Amino acid sequence: MTTAAGLQTVVTVPARFRGPEGIANGGWIAGTVSEALHGARHDSAVEVTLHAPTPLETELELRQLANTATLTHGETLLAEAITVAERLDAPAFVPFNEAARAERGFAGLTGHAFPGCFVCGLREPGDGLRIFPGRVEGAEIVAAGWRVPMTVTDQDGVIPDAVVWAALDCATGWAHFAPGEFALLGRLTAQVHRRIYPGGTYSVVARPTGREGRKLFGESAIYEVDGTLVAAAKATWIAPA
């Protein structure tokens, strides 16, 4: 729920959009802050850095000023978005049926650190997104067949950017994770090229792109069934010490 006050908006994150228990899903927050900066335009990529976990069911301040948007809780900076002139590389297209078959290898089915996650958690159909990226045979890539719930639209029946960014988020982590492993999203850069439609079917694909100490890097994409690129992202995750 939001109430506008000039360039400042008060935002409350419903518990539905959690990642780890008690805090918001990083991709959902990144998409929310990106939308405050970009509005409905998708003519460039946006980089969102997550500085601290975002609490649920708490009034937060979302501010947009010039080329920056920030999310704060009191004096604590939670997230910051900037527009970037960057072309994002997308993992190769995986046809929907093949992506759906890959879900059987989803490591979270064996051990999931955050089973209540809005995106990749083992939630009831229609409640969470239920994106379960599993290894594609013969490739260094994970994929899932995403069946978009009708229950994640805004009041105008549109899938908001927060949901699209959330769908791009978790897959980049599962490109690295073994069962039970986890990390927290530190930065997500994404560009949405086309609309996502409720009830539609899409391929979500991701690949690992490196590791540096506790930092894990990955790239993800969403494709229509005919291989048209819908959105692409790159992510940095921070593994526990």
Side-chain angles (χ1 to χ4, degrees):
M1 181 180 67
T2 63
T3 57
L7 294 177
Q8 177 175 322
T9 303
V10 177
V11 178
T12 301
V13 182
R16 179 187 184 189
F17 301 116
R18 64 192 179 275
E21 287 302 316
I23 63 175
N25 172 268
W28 194 90
I29 284 297
T32 297
V33 180
S34 168
E35 199 160 19
L37 177 64
H38 240 214
R41 297 183 299 107
H42 297 130
D43 51 359
S44 62
V46 176
E47 175 187 284
V48 181
T49 301
L50 304 179
H51 294 277
T54 298
L56 303 170
E57 305 292 351
T58 302
E59 288 193 351
L60 311 169
E61 295 76 43
L62 183 59
R63 297 182 179 92
Q64 189 274 325
L65 179 63
N67 295 319
T68 304
T70 59
L71 182 69
T72 57
H73 180 212
E75 298 300 314
T76 302
L77 176 62
L78 303 175
E80 183 176 20
I82 59 172
T83 301
V84 292
E86 182 174 359
R87 181 185 178 277
L88 297 173
D89 294 326
F93 170 61
V94 176
F96 178 82
N97 288 342
E98 184 179 352
R101 285 195 298 270
E103 295 174 19
R104 292 177 294 187
F106 174 50
L109 296 176
T110 303
H112 201 312
F114 307 124
C117 176
F118 172 65
V119 179
C120 63
L122 310 178
R123 304 265 290 266
E124 290 296 320
D127 180 32
L129 299 185
R130 295 178 60 85
I131 297 175
F132 303 146
R135 190 72 55 190
V136 175
E137 187 174 352
E140 189 67 15
I141 196 169
V142 294
W146 183 25
R147 305 153 185 86
V148 183
M150 302 294 290
T151 55
V152 294
T153 61
D154 61 18
Q155 62 271 23
D156 298 319
V158 174
I159 302 294
D161 278 3
V163 171
V164 181
W165 279 61
L168 290 164
D169 165 24
C170 292
T172 57
W174 288 108
H176 289 274
F177 302 155
E181 290 185 338
F182 72 94
L184 295 179
L185 184 68
R187 177 173 290 159
L188 189 63
T189 304
Q191 183 170 7
V192 180
H193 300 283
R194 301 169 66 89
R195 283 184 60 182
I196 293 282
Y197 290 92
T201 52
Y202 299 84
S203 295
V204 178
V205 297
R207 63 186 174 200
T209 56
R211 181 167 190 156
E212 182 180 302
R214 292 168 54 208
K215 293 182 178 180
L216 311 175
F217 305 100
E219 296 172 341
S220 61
I222 301 171
Y223 288 98
E224 295 182 350
V225 292
D226 64 356
T228 301
L229 179 65
V230 174
K234 69 173 186 177
T236 301
W237 293 75
I238 310 298

